[in-house]
């Protein structure tokens, strides 16, 4: 049975956010113009959809933060050594907490607790505080970041699925998965799964998926840590040294260190979805207070997991630490435990893919709905009831089906063309770290607090941004060099699968 109704996506949850005037005092005198019906619909929609708590926010953050990045950290620590590796993880974790606090206060405008305008996304917050031009620049980085996460998660899921197949075949006395197929088959399988999950209407409906993904992340991180600890105890030796992996030249060392910094930056870049997560929280208490608690708990937990997995992986494998931690254990017994961990990774990445894709879906569909308000393809949903199966009615929107399927197909296709795990993570982390995690949050803080130029706080913030910019440039150049170098790509593939194949 099929029924037709207006798509909730076509109802504007917010009116257009106002651009700030040239005067900094304009932030506190801005007038929000909305009709009575717009206000009632916006408030009713907010009350209906925003039922999240600190715990669901923690689950969303953990799902967004812990992902494919955690698997590369043992390799990153190996490049940086016993001092530089753990120190960089702690520093990036501290930066993530500080930046999350700055962004939490940007959800409401102009007051962080009582402002009448809600900035439901990173881009809307930039528009409210910094103006429309900055919003367009920021938006380009945000959409590229969402898209990049989809590519990275597809690559990682394929690696884990292939590792399961190879392990199972080997222990059954058969051959490993045929090499001529590469990882393409597994990427296509993951893409097909994402086509189905991408039909979930919006971010508010994936809370259960985030909770499941967060549980999976604890499972595979704990297994990786436990296996690394067992191997270290069995070898009766802590491998590695202070300088990290030796290289044949100083230039080569610079490249691998740069790539390691990019991988660590990628592991902590979740700020682009913070305001979307905050928009799911119920109020009272004020959303910014709840989100600060959730961010602090989640980032402290993930930093602890990162330190554990990165350091124990380096202790277990030393200078031979693989690009993907769990594939490095190969056929260690019990092999089913490694297979289970890789299965947990795949499940987690299904949720992680959606956490980073749903904001892009929503932004695109709102834009198209605004441009074509009377188009039935865009603004109509069809409710399909299945009388035989005991499942809720399915809501199908034709534009959503076509656009999201094409999106998933494109991320899968690019992942097949560039299946280089560490290099892809490094490029994405370095490219997005400074503009999205440093520049825009700090600039919004300066405008919101009305910090005058050449004061001590202003100088400190400029120095902080400058140092982070230098780190970002170095990491980006090194990661791009690794991505375009055929020799490095071959080495990366060997690092991923050598332990599994041998």
């Amino acid at each position: 049975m099929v029924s037709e109704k207006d798509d909730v996506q076509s109802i504007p949850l917010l009116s257009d956010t106002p651009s700030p005037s040239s005067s900094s005092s304009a932030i506190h005198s801005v007038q929000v113009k909305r009709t009575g019906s717009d206000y009632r619909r916006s408030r009713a929609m907010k009350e209906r959809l925003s039922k999240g708590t600190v715990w669901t926010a923690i689950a969303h953050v953990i799902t967004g933060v812990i992902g494919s990045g955690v698997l590369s950290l043992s390799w990153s620590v190996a490049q940086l050594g016993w001092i530089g590796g753990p120190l960089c993880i702690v520093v990036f974790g501290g930066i993530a907490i500080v930046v999350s606090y700055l962004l939490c206060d940007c959800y409401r405008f102009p007051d962080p607790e009582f402002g009448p305008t809600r900035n439901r996304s990173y881009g809307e917050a930039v528009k409210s505080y910094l103006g429309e031009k900055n919003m367009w620049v920021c938006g380009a980085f945000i959409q590229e970041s969402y898209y990049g996460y989809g590519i990275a998660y597809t690559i990682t899921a394929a690696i884990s699925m292939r590792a399961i197949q190879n392990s199972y075949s080997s222990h059954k006395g058969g051959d490993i998965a045929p090499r001529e197929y590469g990882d393409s088959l597994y990427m296509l399988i993951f893409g097909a799964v994402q086509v189905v999950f991408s039909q979930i209407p919006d971010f508010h409906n994936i809370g259960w998926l985030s909770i499941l993904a967060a549980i999976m992340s604890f499972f595979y991180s704990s297994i990786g840590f436990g296996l690394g600890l067992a191997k270290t105890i069995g070898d009766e030796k802590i491998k590695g040294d202070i300088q990290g992996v030796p290289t044949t030249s100083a230039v080569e060392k610079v490249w691998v260190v740069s790539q390691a910094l990019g991988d660590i930056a990628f592991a902590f870049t979740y700020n682009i979805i913070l305001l979307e997560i905050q928009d799911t929280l119920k109020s009272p208490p004020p959303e910014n207070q709840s989100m600060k608690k959730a961010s602090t708990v989640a980032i402290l937990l993930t930093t602890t997991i990162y330190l554990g997995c990165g350091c124990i992986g380096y202790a277990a494998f030393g200078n031979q630490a693989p690009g993907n931690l769990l594939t490095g254990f190969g056929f260690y017994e019990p092999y089913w435990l490694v297979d289970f961990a890789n299965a947990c990774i795949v499940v987690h990445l299904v949720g992680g893919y959606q956490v980073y894709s749903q904001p892009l879906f929503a932004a695109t569909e709102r834009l198209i709905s605004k441009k074509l308000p009377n188009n039935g393809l865009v603004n109509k949903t069809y409710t399909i009831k299945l009388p035989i199966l005991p499942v809720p009615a399915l809501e199908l929107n034709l534009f959503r089906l076509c656009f999201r399927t094409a999106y998933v197909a494109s991320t899968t296709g690019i992942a097949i063309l560039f299946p280089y795990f560490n290099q892809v993570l490094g490029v994405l982390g370095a490219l997005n770290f400074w503009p999205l995690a440093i520049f825009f949050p700090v600039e919004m803080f300066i405008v919101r607090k009305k910090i005058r130029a050449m004061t001590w706080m202003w100088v400190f913030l400029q120095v902080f941004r400058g140092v982070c910019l230098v780190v970002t440039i170095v990491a980006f150049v090194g990661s791009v060099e690794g991505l375009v170098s055929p020799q490095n790509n071959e080495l990366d593939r060997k690092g991923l699968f050598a332990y599994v194949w041998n």
Side-chain angles (χ1 to χ4, degrees):
M1 180 177 179
V2 179
S3 62
E4 185 177 334
K5 63 180 181 179
D6 289 333
D7 187 1
V8 70
Q9 195 78 31
S10 65
I11 302 176
L13 302 185
L14 289 176
S15 59
D16 290 337
T17 51
S19 300
S21 66
S22 58
S23 172
S24 60
S25 62
I27 290 182
H28 297 283
S29 62
V30 64
Q31 298 296 320
V32 181
K33 297 180 180 180
R34 290 187 290 189
T35 65
S37 60
D38 284 342
Y39 178 81
R40 286 191 295 272
R41 281 196 297 176
S42 174
R43 182 170 182 175
M45 186 66 70
K46 171 71 177 175
E47 291 175 352
R48 183 176 72 84
L49 295 177
S50 300
K51 301 177 182 178
T53 64
V54 171
W55 293 107
T56 59
I58 290 174
H60 282 311
V61 173
I62 290 175
T63 302
V65 178
I66 300 181
S68 53
V70 68
L71 303 175
S72 69
L73 289 179
S74 60
W75 181 89
S76 300
V77 173
Q79 311 312 311
L80 297 169
W82 273 120
I83 294 179
L87 180 61
C88 285
I89 293 176
V90 172
V91 169
F92 276 91
I95 291 174
I97 292 178
V98 172
V99 171
S100 67
Y101 271 54
L102 299 183
L103 286 176
C104 288
D105 288 334
C106 295
Y107 175 65
R108 286 183 178 268
F109 177 85
D111 185 84
E113 292 189 7
F114 306 107
T117 301
R118 292 184 176 92
N119 296 314
R120 296 185 297 114
S121 68
Y122 195 113
E124 288 182 3
V126 171
K127 181 180 180 181
S128 295
Y129 286 94
L130 304 180
E132 189 167 353
K133 291 183 179 179
N134 282 284
M135 181 201 70
W136 286 109
V137 175
C138 174
F141 281 103
I142 291 174
Q143 304 310 321
E144 167 270 320
S145 183
Y146 289 150
Y147 195 76
Y149 271 96
I151 297 170
Y153 282 9
T154 302
I155 296 172
T156 312
I159 292 171
S160 294
M161 286 190 282
R162 183 182 180 88
I164 294 172
Q165 176 63 39
N166 289 347
S167 177
Y168 177 80
S169 298
S170 175
H171 280 83
K172 291 298 182 181
D175 295 328
I176 61 174
R179 298 188 189 185
E180 59 266 23
Y181 290 110
D183 297 319
S184 301
L185 176 62
Y186 305 101
M187 292 181 187
L188 290 173
I189 293 173
F190 184 78
V193 172
Q194 289 301 337
V195 168
V196 176
F197 278 93
S198 292
Q199 302 312 311
I200 297 175
D202 53 42
F203 208 111
H204 297 271
N205 292 289
I206 64 171
W208 64 273
L209 187 58
S210 286
I211 293 173
L212 176 62
I215 294 172
M216 294 297 103
S217 69
F218 281 114
F219 278 161
Y220 70 72
S221 299
S222 300
I223 292 172
F225 178 84
L227 290 174
L229 182 61
K231 188 177 187 302
T232 303
I233 295 174
D235 293 342
E236 298 182 348
K237 179 182 179 181
I238 296 177
K239 299 178 181 179
D241 52 47
I242 295 177
Q243 293 80 18
V245 177
T247 57
T248 57
S249 67
V251 173
E252 184 181 353
K253 186 65 175 180
V254 170
W255 291 141
V256 295
V257 168
S258 301
Q259 187 177 318
L261 291 174
D263 287 355
I264 295 175
F266 177 87
F268 281 103
T269 304
Y270 91 102
N271 299 298
I272 55 175
I273 59 172
L274 185 145
L275 293 179
E276 276 89 353
I277 297 173
Q278 191 167 340
D279 189 53
T280 67
L281 295 174
K282 61 183 179 182
S283 179
E287 298 93 343
N288 64 331
Q289 294 181 13
S290 299
M291 195 63 209
K292 287 178 181 179
K293 293 178 182 178
S295 295
T296 302
V297 172
I299 295 175
L300 288 177
L301 283 173
T302 54
T303 302
T304 302
I305 292 172
Y306 285 175
L307 284 171
C309 291
C311 293
I312 204 65
Y314 185 38
F317 293 103
N319 293 338
Q320 302 301 317
N324 184 315
L325 176 61
L326 284 173
T327 61
F329 291 103
F331 302 137
Y332 276 48
E333 297 292 349
Y335 77 93
W336 58 266
L337 186 60
V338 180
D339 291 348
F340 175 71
N342 278 300
C344 290
I345 292 173
V346 175
V347 174
H348 175 259
L349 294 178
V350 170
Y353 188 105
Q354 289 303 311
V355 165
Y356 282 100
S357 298
Q358 286 291 341
L360 186 149
F361 295 158
T364 303
E365 289 164 10
R366 279 199 300 268
L367 177 63
I368 298 300
S369 179
K370 184 177 180 181
K371 297 293 184 181
L372 303 171
N374 300 317
N375 189 295
L377 177 69
V378 175
N379 298 309
K380 297 293 182 180
T381 59
Y382 300 88
T383 302
I384 305 175
K385 296 182 180 180
L386 303 177
I388 301 177
L389 299 177
V391 295
L394 303 177
E395 293 188 355
L396 179 65
N397 176 274
L398 295 180
F399 175 76
R400 180 191 302 156
L401 176 64
C402 297
F403 165 68
R404 298 187 182 190
T405 300
Y407 173 89
V408 173
S410 65
T411 59
T412 304
I414 294 179
I416 292 173
L417 291 175
F418 298 98
Y420 312 126
F421 179 71
N422 287 84
Q423 286 86 351
V424 169
L425 298 192
V427 169
L428 293 173
L431 182 63
N432 299 311
F433 175 71
W434 188 78
L436 298 180
I438 303 298
F439 177 79
F440 287 113
V442 170
E443 193 67 19
M444 287 189 287
F445 175 76
I446 291 174
V447 172
R448 185 169 58 82
K449 291 293 187 179
K450 294 184 287 188
I451 298 175
R452 293 182 297 176
M454 304 311 296
T455 61
W456 284 109
M457 178 60 72
W458 185 88
V459 171
F460 170 78
L461 292 173
Q462 302 311 313
V463 171
F464 171 70
R465 288 200 297 196
V467 171
C468 291
L469 177 60
V470 172
V471 172
T472 298
I473 293 174
V474 171
F476 179 73
V477 172
S479 298
V480 170
E481 191 276 340
L483 185 63
V484 300
S485 172
Q487 180 182 3
N488 287 347
N489 288 336
E490 180 63 24
L491 290 174
D492 185 63
R493 286 188 173 188
K494 290 181 179 178
L496 290 174
F497 300 115
Y499 294 96
V500 177
W501 288 347
N502 297 328

